[in-house]
Amino acid sequence: MTLTNRLKKRNQSDSALAQHELSHESQHHHYEPEHNSHQDGDKGDRKKKETKKQDGRHFYATRRFIFPLGLILGVLLGLVFVQPSDFQDFQTHLALLMDEFEFRVPEFPNLDLPQLDLSLVESEWRRLWSNIPEPWKLNTNGLEFTVGEKIAARGLTAKHPVVLIPGIISTASGLESWSTSPDYRAFFRKKVWGGFSMISQVTFNRDKWITALMLDPTTGLDPPGAKVRAAEGIDAASSFIQGYWLWSKIVENLAVVNYDTNNLHLAPYDWRLSYYNLEERDAYFSKLRATIEGFVAREKRKVVLTAHSMGSTYFLKWVESPEHGKGGPDWVENHIEAYISIAGTHLVPEQAKAMAAFLSGEMKDTVQINPAGAYVLERFFSRKERQKLFRSWAGSASMWIKGGDDVWGNATWAPDDLDNTTHSHGALIAFRQNSPATESESGLFNMTSNQAGTWILERTPESFQKMLASNYSFGIERDEEKLKANNLDFTKWTNPLEIQLPNAPSMKIYCVYGHGKETERSYWYTQREYEYDEIQPDSPHAVCTDSTQDGSVNCTSHREPLDLPLARTTHIDAEYTDEAARPRILNGVKMGEGDGTVSLLSLGAMCVEGWRRPRWNPAGIKVVTVELPHNPVATIPRGGGTTSDHVDVLGSLALNEIILKVATGAGDEVQDSFVSNIREYAKRIKWD
């Protein structure tokens, strides 16, 4: 609200200034009419220059390029995602769409127009679809049910109930609107994140879609009028959109060994919320506890908890806490057989990517797209809009880097630096020397994780800083007494470096993740043009003009008469690429090891070293680490059964086999397996 008011005031000031200049100009014309011809000539020259400037635009920035490109992409998406059975409902969907946008076809009383018959199109489409090899379809990989059949052939069957906890990406299809406010009724019971309905809303109702997904920056909950909730059931995270599977491969294989809704549960959640607000608003952890207790009471077996990415150990600490879950110190021991962490982001969920998103609204995915795509993205969903949206999601703030310089290195060294490295990953944010964009700046220097964290926070609103401090902690604790005390502090529970594992000596932890796909690890940054600073509304000198008791609603910042943009925009240095450097630099992104999304240190350091130490694992829980090599099949769109990409690993044959073995009681067959140097890297971390 403060930013909006500020922009309104600035626009009003600009309008007033323009009127003043107009008035002055008219007076000038009144007294000196003989200059009109010269001014008309100047205006003509300016118009010619503007026309010439527009004509000099890149071809990819013109409508003649973008419109045909959109048509081609639309046709390709249709070829990929449309199923033959979809044609049966085509007329109904078309009628609803026309009605929603108040489009009417002219009526001709004297003409009897026939109904649109798509049966021939459907039959031809079905014939074409049947000729496409199964592995080439995004909704299949040609290996459906094979792992389950292999396990069932050994005589193994369902033993332990299974609870699946998705991450941010793998629960992406499960957010839907429940708001009945007139502004949001077009979204009611529709997916606003995931599904084709999301694409429709983003395309035709973008501003309302952004507002619906954005959380209140102060409370971290729904903004006035909006209400978005996580969908329920296995379908909520089975696929992102039709044809793009997430958890469906794991569910299919579990079904082969006699799993169904009586012993299998998927627990999606609203990943935008902080963990604390997940319980406060949705009672998420209370429901999860009740589900697990119900399984144990009915099946007389402990549960296998399987979590992907951001799905973390927070629940295990919450349920033990006498002030929160109130399950007691033995609850995990009595209810959890095993905890399987799939591509777990233990130290920093999507570490560098999240830091870059909070700072500049960018990441590798946005700076490495081609110029045409970058132009369309910026025009349609600008960097400032992305930045504001990211900062409102308190759940994504858990992605802040953990452990600081002791884990991620200093300005000249990092635990995962390569031999003969030319640029250390320890400098999380670096600036090129003699860069034209930064040559006039003083005080810019290469920053370690600690320094970068402080620098980024200084460039975020105070509301974001308060939210971060009240929900999360990102240090490293080595004192065992303080670690025990942290068991009662919910702000520590997302950071495994500041808490101990549960008191569950018979529980087993399986860390399973991919390796072999380049992952963004650190960045080269630059500064460009000046812009208006968004931090000013939060300054101590803010003036409230609202006369109501709730003065925080319409508070605006006092602006000086001379209102100038004084803050430099900060961007990833996308023009900087050095293929010969170690590590490789692509469009300002220093690439490292990982699964394409999460860096190797975050995936494996706690599993191979941190949790092997009694300080963080006093109960002596057995930890098994399995690294899956990334060997995608080039002819299959998502890599097939040998991929280990952060999301596509959910369809990996090896991962599915591990899950089924643990669930059917053969978990002892799963042993440590490594393909990277994670054990060597982890030993370099300053644990003591």
Side-chain angles (χ1 to χ4, degrees):
M1 177 63 90
T2 55
L3 178 59
T4 304
N5 290 338
R6 191 187 74 181
L7 292 175
K8 286 181 179 178
K9 293 184 72 175
R10 186 166 74 220
N11 292 337
Q12 292 169 359
S13 300
D14 293 342
S15 300
L17 182 61
Q19 291 177 2
H20 175 73
E21 290 176 350
L22 219 61
S23 174
H24 180 72
E25 186 178 353
S26 63
Q27 294 176 5
H28 186 70
H29 288 178
H30 178 73
Y31 291 110
E32 299 183 75
E34 65 272 10
H35 290 170
N36 285 348
S37 60
H38 297 290
Q39 292 173 350
D40 291 342
D42 292 341
K43 290 180 180 178
D45 293 339
R46 284 199 300 269
K47 288 183 178 178
K48 289 180 181 179
K49 290 180 180 179
E50 291 175 358
T51 304
K52 184 177 180 181
K53 184 177 180 180
Q54 290 179 352
D55 293 339
R57 289 183 302 170
H58 293 290
F59 175 67
Y60 59 73
T62 63
R63 290 190 180 95
R64 285 178 296 173
F65 174 80
I66 294 174
F67 184 73
L69 177 65
L71 288 177
I72 294 171
L73 290 176
V75 172
L76 290 176
L77 284 174
L79 289 171
V80 171
F81 292 117
V82 175
Q83 304 287 331
S85 58
D86 294 336
F87 284 96
Q88 298 175 4
D89 300 324
F90 179 80
Q91 280 185 283
T92 303
H93 290 307
L94 180 61
L96 291 173
L97 188 64
M98 293 171 61
D99 183 66
E100 180 175 344
F101 293 99
E102 298 182 354
F103 181 79
R104 297 288 183 270
V105 178
E107 296 184 4
F108 301 96
N110 298 327
L111 293 178
D112 185 16
L113 297 178
Q115 289 289 321
L116 190 62
D117 185 8
L118 297 176
S119 58
L120 182 61
V121 177
E122 179 184 348
S123 61
E124 288 299 315
W125 192 270
R126 193 178 299 276
R127 184 176 63 83
L128 174 65
W129 189 262
S130 63
N131 291 329
I132 300 176
E134 287 296 318
W136 292 5
K137 301 175 183 177
L138 288 182
N139 63 324
T140 61
N141 60 9
L143 302 170
E144 284 65 46
F145 305 103
T146 55
V147 175
E149 292 170 348
K150 176 183 175 182
I151 296 296
R154 296 178 49 188
L156 297 174
T157 188
K159 182 176 181 181
H160 298 284
V162 175
V163 172
L164 307 176
I165 302 180
I168 288 182
I169 300 175
S170 57
T171 194
S173 63
L175 296 184
E176 59 186 21
S177 175
W178 278 84
S179 174
T180 58
S181 171
D183 289 340
Y184 301 101
R185 284 180 184 172
F187 300 156
F188 185 71
R189 291 306 314 279
K190 293 182 180 179
K191 298 290 179 61
V192 293
W193 189 270
F196 283 115
S197 62
M198 166 188 166
I199 299 175
S200 172
Q201 301 300 341
V202 170
T203 305
F204 300 108
N205 207 355
R206 185 185 69 95
D207 292 340
K208 288 297 180 185
W209 175 80
I210 293 176
T211 306
L213 275 181
M214 190 175 297
L215 294 174
D216 186 285
T218 302
T219 65
L221 299 172
D222 297 307
K227 182 187 289 187
V228 173
R229 298 291 181 265
E232 298 291 336
I234 292 176
D235 286 343
S238 291
S239 60
F240 179 64
I241 56 177
Q242 183 174 334
Y244 192 93
W245 49 264
L246 295 172
W247 287 88
S248 60
K249 304 302 173 189
I250 292 174
V251 173
E252 289 167 358
N253 285 305
L254 285 169
V256 177
V257 291
N258 295 321
Y259 280 93
D260 54 35
T261 53
N262 290 322
N263 54 3
L264 174 64
H265 177 73
L266 193 146
Y269 54 93
D270 188 344
W271 44 264
R272 302 171 306 149
L273 299 179
S274 67
Y275 288 95
Y276 181 83
N277 279 338
L278 265 178
E279 175 62 20
E280 288 296 302
R281 194 196 74 177
D282 297 343
Y284 175 78
F285 297 113
S286 295
K287 295 175 183 176
L288 182 57
R289 174 188 171 179
T291 299
I292 293 174
E293 289 176 343
F295 276 155
V296 173
R298 185 170 61 251
E299 301 293 329
K300 309 302 181 187
R301 302 275 187 180
K302 292 194 287 186
V303 169
V304 172
L305 202 59
T306 305
H308 176 246
S309 188
M310 185 177 163
S312 71
T313 56
Y314 185 96
F315 168 72
L316 302 181
K317 301 308 296 182
W318 175 90
V319 75
E320 281 187 336
S321 172
E323 299 177 4
H324 297 85
K326 302 178 182 179
D330 298 327
W331 190 95
V332 176
E333 171 69 11
N334 296 331
H335 292 83
I336 306 298
E337 171 68 19
Y339 170 65
I340 303 177
S341 172
I342 306 171
T345 51
H346 303 116
L347 292 181
V348 272
E350 304 172 32
Q351 158 238 359
K353 180 179 292 189
M355 303 284 279
F358 292 133
L359 174 60
S360 58
E362 301 170 291
M363 56 191 70
K364 175 176 69 72
D365 310 293
T366 62
V367 297
Q368 291 185 0
I369 58 179
N370 60 63
Y375 174 81
V376 173
L377 177 64
E378 189 62 24
R379 290 292 298 271
F380 187 75
F381 193 16
S382 71
R383 180 182 64 87
K384 300 298 286 185
E385 289 174 324
R386 299 194 302 268
Q387 184 185 67
K388 190 175 181 181
L389 195 61
F390 292 151
R391 290 174 178 175
S392 78
W393 293 339
S396 62
S398 67
M399 299 178 185
W400 203 264
I401 192 166
K402 298 178 176 69
D405 297 354
D406 287 345
V407 173
W408 301 100
N410 54 39
T412 59
W413 171 88
D416 53 340
D417 277 345
L418 302 173
D419 295 335
N420 302 319
T421 185
T422 55
H423 303 284
S424 173
H425 283 309
L428 185 65
I429 292 179
F431 295 89
R432 277 192 291 168
Q433 293 182 351
N434 303 322
S435 172
T438 59
E439 60 184 6
S440 62
E441 290 292 317
S442 60
L444 288 180
F445 57 94
N446 295 347
M447 304 177 193
T448 65
S449 60
N450 284 342
Q451 295 165 334
T454 302
W455 191 69
I456 293 172
L457 279 178
E458 290 172 349
R459 284 151 182 81
T460 59
E462 186 179 355
S463 58
F464 179 83
Q465 299 174 24
K466 288 180 178 179
M467 177 274 296
L468 202 69
S470 61
N471 284 283
Y472 303 108
S473 181
F474 308 102
I476 180 171
E477 184 56 69
R478 300 177 177 89
D479 186 286
E480 293 190 26
E481 292 302 318
K482 291 183 179 179
L483 283 169
K484 292 177 181 178
N486 288 347
N487 291 332
L488 302 177
D489 184 354
F490 72 90
T491 65
K492 311 289 187 183
W493 295 345
T494 58
N495 183 2
L497 294 169
E498 293 187 287
I499 59 170
Q500 296 175 324
L501 287 175
N503 178 36
S506 67
M507 184 182 80
K508 292 168 284 293
I509 294 178
Y510 297 88
C511 298
V512 187
Y513 58 86
H515 175 268
K517 188 173 183 180
E518 280 192 324
T519 305
E520 54 192 299
R521 172 65 170 81
S522 49
Y523 298 93
W524 289 95
Y525 260 82
T526 186
Q527 290 191 322
R528 298 179 184 171
E529 68 278 359
Y530 285 91
E531 65 179 355
Y532 287 95
D533 185 10
E534 292 189 9
I535 313 305
Q536 187 167 349
D538 294 324
S539 70
H541 305 292
V543 177
C544 185
T545 59
D546 192 351
S547 59
T548 64
Q549 292 182 352
D550 187 5
S552 62
V553 176
N554 292 317
C555 284
T556 57
S557 296
H558 173 70
R559 301 197 69 85
E560 301 299 329
L562 184 61
D563 188 7
L564 295 176
L566 300 176
R568 293 289 295 271
T569 57
T570 306
H571 298 264
I572 294 175
D573 195 352
E575 298 177 358
Y576 183 25
T577 294
D578 189 349
E579 297 274 1
R582 286 177 64 86
R584 199 158 66 115
I585 302 170
L586 298 177
N587 301 104
V589 180
K590 287 188 280 186
M591 308 305 294
E593 298 178 64
D595 65 0
T597 299
V598 182
S599 64
L600 179 60
L601 277 182
S602 180
L603 292 165
M606 286 303 299
C607 303
V608 302
E609 189 67 31
W611 285 334
R612 302 292 175 95
R613 297 167 177 254
R615 179 185 300 151
W616 289 286
N617 185 4
I621 297 172
K622 182 181 179 180
V623 181
V624 177
T625 304
V626 180
E627 292 185 335
L628 305 177
H630 182 58
N631 296 314
V633 180
T635 56
I636 300 178
R638 296 180 62 185
T642 54
T643 181
S644 66
D645 171 84
H646 184 68
V647 176
D648 294 344
V649 72
L650 295 172
S652 162
L653 294 177
L655 171 66
N656 276 257
E657 185 173 347
I658 290 171
I659 293 174
L660 264 65
K661 283 183 176 180
V662 175
T664 58
D668 291 340
E669 298 179 12
V670 181
Q671 300 296 325
D672 286 338
S673 178
F674 298 97
V675 295
S676 75
N677 295 323
I678 183 58
R679 289 172 290 182
E680 178 183 344
Y681 296 158
K683 289 184 184 302
R684 299 174 186 172
I685 292 175
K686 297 179 181 179
W687 301 102
D688 300 313

